[in-house]
């Protein structure tokens, strides 16, 4: 029997594990892939919006040459933190269900990469799963073909290619900036009327200059309605007219959504507000006693509501609540 099982070894899950361990609780972390898998899925050369200080967990300094660290620096940092605290992390093991028992404890059932089914008992469970496994699907013809991806890693494979980027977030802008450096012909197709106000301020002027110079084409108030082997069909949201654009690859950078299967299996209620799980913001406890929410899964469909710098504090709230309950029961 564990005191706490944490599902998800992202920064917020690791932070929760550290805070619980500091309170003398036995902790096991279950991770479907590798440690901080969501960060691993970021573009290879991505630079964070946040400063390194805002990404720190467990009181371990995150020292970088620049104010805003890069992906590879974050991966090294979180590996070091996990090792420093000797966290017990079961990587490449997927949690498939959470069942609360009559005595108030939980059974967490998992499946390993080899197909072995395991189960663990725990007094408390913290669900801190990410959202990068589940891209927002457009539901348009051709989206399932191999010329389309919802993940951008690096620009090299697209050298000299005609690439359409669907979306207008920082990920779309970063991808476009990298792609033009390798000679790709880039067109951004975005539903918004103009460039998003959330673009990184140090990137925005350079991006706008590339548009003005014609290095990047941008179709605002538009959407892709069909993806064909050698072209895409683009519809104007202003007048409904359509145009065809020659195309080799499509990057559908339309965001991601949290997985709801585990929440549903445990009986966690969802609010009508952006499909958020119901929880107490002071303790992060859900409507199921002893089951807590941490990290981006608390944000519902609005995955941009919770970042590492805010979600990393969830673990301290949870650990304090568990400790206070134990002290009361003693």
């Amino acid at each position: 029997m564990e005191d706490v099982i944490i599902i998800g070894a992202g920064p917020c899950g690791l932070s929760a594990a550290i805070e619980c361990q500091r309170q003398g609780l036995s902790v096991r972390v279950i991770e479907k892939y590798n440690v901080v898998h969501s960060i691993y899925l970021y573009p290879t050369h991505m630079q964070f919006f946040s400063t390194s200080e805002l990404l720190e967990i467990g009181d371990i300094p995150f020292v970088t040459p620049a104010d805003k660290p890069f992906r590879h620096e974050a991966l090294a940092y979180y590996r070091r933190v996990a090792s420093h605290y000797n966290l017990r992390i079961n990587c490449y093991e997927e949690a498939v269900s959470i069942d609360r028992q009559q005595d108030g404890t939980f059974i967490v059932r998992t499946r390993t990469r080899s197909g072995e089914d395991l189960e663990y008992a725990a007094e408390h469970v913290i669900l801190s799963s990410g959202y990068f496994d589940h891209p927002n699907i457009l539901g348009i013809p051709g989206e399932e073909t191999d010329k389309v991806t919802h993940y951008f890693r690096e620009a090299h494979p697209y050298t000299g290619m005609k690439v359409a980027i669907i979306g207008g977030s920082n990920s779309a802008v970063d991808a476009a900036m990298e792609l033009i450096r390798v000679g790709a012909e880039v067109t951004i197709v975005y539903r918004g009327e103009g460039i998003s106000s959330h673009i990184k301020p140090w990137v925005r002027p350079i991006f706008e200059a590339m548009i003005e110079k014609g290095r990047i084409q941008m179709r605002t108030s538009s959407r892709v309605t069909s993806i064909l082997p050698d072209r895409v069909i683009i519809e104007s949201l202003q007048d409904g007219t359509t145009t065809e654009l020659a195309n080799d690859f499509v990057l559908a950078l339309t965001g991601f959504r949290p997985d709801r299967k585990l929440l549903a299996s445990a009986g966690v209620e969802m609010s009508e507000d952006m499909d958020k799980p119901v929880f107490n913001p002071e303790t992060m406890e859900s409507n199921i006693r002893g089951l807590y929410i941490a990290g981006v899964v608390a944000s519902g469909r609005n995955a941009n509501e919770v970042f590492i710098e805010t979600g990393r504090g969830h673990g301290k709230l949870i650990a304090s609540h568990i400790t206070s309950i134990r002290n009361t029961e003693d």
Side-chain angles (χ1 to χ4, degrees), residues 41-43 150-155 158 174-175 178-179 251 253:
L41 291 178
Y42 287 170
H150 291 272
Y151 301 89
F152 173 71
R153 302 307 302 272
E154 54 184 320
Y158 306 102
D174 289 346
E178 284 198 42
L179 286 167
L251 301 179
L253 305 182

Side-chain angles (χ1 to χ4, degrees), residues 304-317:
N304 291 323
E305 182 179 320
V306 177
F307 299 95
I308 296 172
E309 55 260 44
T310 52
R312 64 179 179 167
H314 293 166
K316 188 168 291 186
L317 296 175

Side-chain angles (χ1 to χ4, degrees), residues 2-293:
E2 302 286 356
D3 292 327
V4 181
I5 285 180
I6 298 174
I7 299 171
C12 300
L14 296 180
S15 178
I18 292 166
E19 297 300 334
C20 289
Q21 195 166 277
R22 282 174 164 174
Q23 296 292 335
L25 303 171
S26 64
V27 181
R28 183 183 298 274
V29 183
I30 307 294
E31 168 55 50
K32 183 178 179 181
Y33 296 110
N34 50 271
V35 172
V36 293
H37 179 66
S38 292
I39 294 177
Y40 170 73
L41 291 178
Y42 287 170
T44 303
H45 307 294
M46 192 210 77
Q47 186 176 25
F48 280 83
F49 197 103
S50 304
T51 63
S52 57
E53 290 81 5
L54 291 176
L55 301 179
E56 292 177 354
I57 60 173
D59 298 320
I60 302 295
F62 187 173
V63 180
T64 63
D67 288 339
K68 296 176 175 61
F70 289 86
R71 165 188 172 274
H72 71 277
E73 295 173 317
L75 292 176
Y77 170 75
Y78 291 117
R79 289 198 305 268
R80 181 165 61 90
V81 172
S83 175
H84 175 83
Y85 282 99
N86 196 28
L87 299 178
R88 290 190 299 157
I89 304 174
N90 293 24
C91 289
Y92 300 101
E93 185 173 339
E94 180 181 6
V96 295
S97 67
I98 304 169
D99 296 313
R100 191 169 189 268
Q101 308 301 293
Q102 289 187 349
D103 63 359
T105 61
F106 294 88
I107 296 296
V108 177
R109 294 180 175 84
T110 70
R111 184 167 297 122
T112 67
R113 291 183 72 189
S114 63
E116 182 181 7
D117 292 322
L118 302 173
E119 62 179 48
Y120 304 90
E123 292 188 14
H124 309 274
V125 171
I126 302 173
L127 184 56
S128 186
S129 56
Y131 58 93
F132 258 43
D133 291 344
H134 304 277
N136 292 321
I137 302 301
L138 298 169
I140 60 176
E143 186 177 10
E144 73 286 352
T145 60
D146 60 7
K147 68 179 288 185
V148 181
T149 180
H150 291 272
Y151 301 89
F152 173 71
R153 302 307 302 272
E154 54 184 320
H156 177 76
Y158 306 102
T159 300
M161 298 289 102
K162 296 178 177 65
V163 182
I165 299 175
I166 302 174
S169 64
N170 276 294
S171 59
V173 171
D174 289 346
M177 296 296 290
E178 284 198 42
L179 286 167
I180 62 173
R181 296 190 188 104
V182 300
E185 296 181 29
V186 179
T187 301
I188 296 178
V189 183
Y190 181 44
R191 298 180 66 94
E193 296 180 358
I195 300 171
S196 171
S197 60
H198 299 294
I199 301 304
K200 299 170 187 175
W202 65 92
V203 173
R204 187 184 183 96
I206 305 173
F207 175 65
E208 291 176 336
M210 293 300 100
I211 293 175
E212 292 174 3
K213 293 177 181 179
R215 297 283 306 281
I216 297 172
Q217 303 298 318
M218 189 158 186
R219 305 279 189 96
T220 56
S221 300
S222 301
R223 68 186 185 103
V224 173
T225 58
S226 183
I227 301 170
L228 302 169
D230 59 350
R231 63 196 186 281
V232 295
I233 310 300
I234 301 173
E235 178 187 30
S236 169
L237 297 178
Q238 294 178 329
D239 57 19
T241 58
T242 61
T243 56
E244 294 188 2
L245 179 69
N247 172 261
D248 297 306
F249 292 99
V250 174
L251 301 179
L253 305 182
T254 51
F256 301 86
R257 55 185 171 78
D259 188 355
R260 293 285 179 251
K261 289 186 297 184
L262 281 176
L263 290 170
S265 77
V268 174
E269 294 179 5
M270 298 294 169
S271 69
E272 295 181 0
D273 178 20
M274 295 298 289
D275 197 27
K276 292 182 182 179
V278 173
F279 63 90
N280 182 339
E282 295 182 358
T283 65
M284 303 308 294
E285 188 176 32
S286 72
N287 62 291
I288 304 299
R289 185 177 180 183
L291 194 155
Y292 299 84
I293 308 296

